């Protein structure tokens, strides 16, 4: 798979690593706007989770992660879309 991507994109993808992990229960939000504004969105997520009786549960097995839906080279910063997901318990 990496060799196909390397040939097609003319970039070295040999260092890419795929891994699976069990996310478990999470709080998730669609952040729209600049990456620099994400901390405010994350604070809202933490506040929401706590208001529902949950706490953040980030450790070596459960991780915060983001899925970037927009290409920052082609999208203005105020229209960038990022899915932010935090594990909770």
């Amino acid at each position: 798979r990496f060799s196909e991507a390397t040939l097609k994109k003319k970039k070295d993808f040999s260092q890419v690593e795929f891994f699976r992990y069990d996310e478990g229960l999470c709080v998730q939000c669609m952040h729209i706007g600049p990456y620099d504004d994400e901390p405010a969105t994350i604070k809202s997520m933490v506040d929401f989770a706590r208001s529902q009786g949950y706490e953040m549960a980030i450790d070596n097995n459960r991780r915060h992660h983001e899925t970037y839906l927009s290409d920052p080279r082609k999208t203005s910063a105020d229209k960038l879309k990022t899915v932010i997901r935090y594990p909770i318990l």
Side-chain angles (χ1 to χ4, degrees), residues 9-27:
K9 299 290 185 176
K10 297 183 174 87
K11 294 184 185 247
D12 179 14
F13 291 98
S14 63
Q15 298 299 311
V16 172
E17 178 183 355
F18 289 103
F19 58 94
R20 294 177 186 254
Y21 60 95
D22 181 12
E23 285 190 292
L25 191 61
C26 293
V27 62

Side-chain angles (χ1 to χ4, degrees), residues 34-79:
Y35 301 138
D36 289 344
D37 292 349
E38 286 182 11
T41 299
I42 293 167
K43 182 182 180 328
S44 294
M45 293 169 65
V46 170
D47 293 345
F48 172 77
R50 288 185 175 149
S51 76
Q52 301 298 307
Y54 296 100
E55 289 296 325
M56 296 298 154
I58 296 174
D59 59 28
N60 288 334
N61 296 313
R62 299 190 69 204
R63 304 170 183 162
H64 143 260
H65 61 276
E66 301 174 359
T67 304
Y68 303 102
L69 302 178
S70 306
D71 183 343
R73 297 169 299 177
K74 299 177 182 177
T75 307
S76 63
D78 63 317
K79 294 183 180 176

Side-chain angles (χ1 to χ4, degrees), residues 2 6 8 10 17 27 29 32 34 39 45 47 57 80 83 87-88:
F2 298 121
T6 297
K8 184 176 180 181
K10 297 183 174 87
E17 178 183 355
V27 62
C29 183
I32 301 174
M45 293 169 65
D47 293 345
L80 292 170
V83 176
I88 57 174

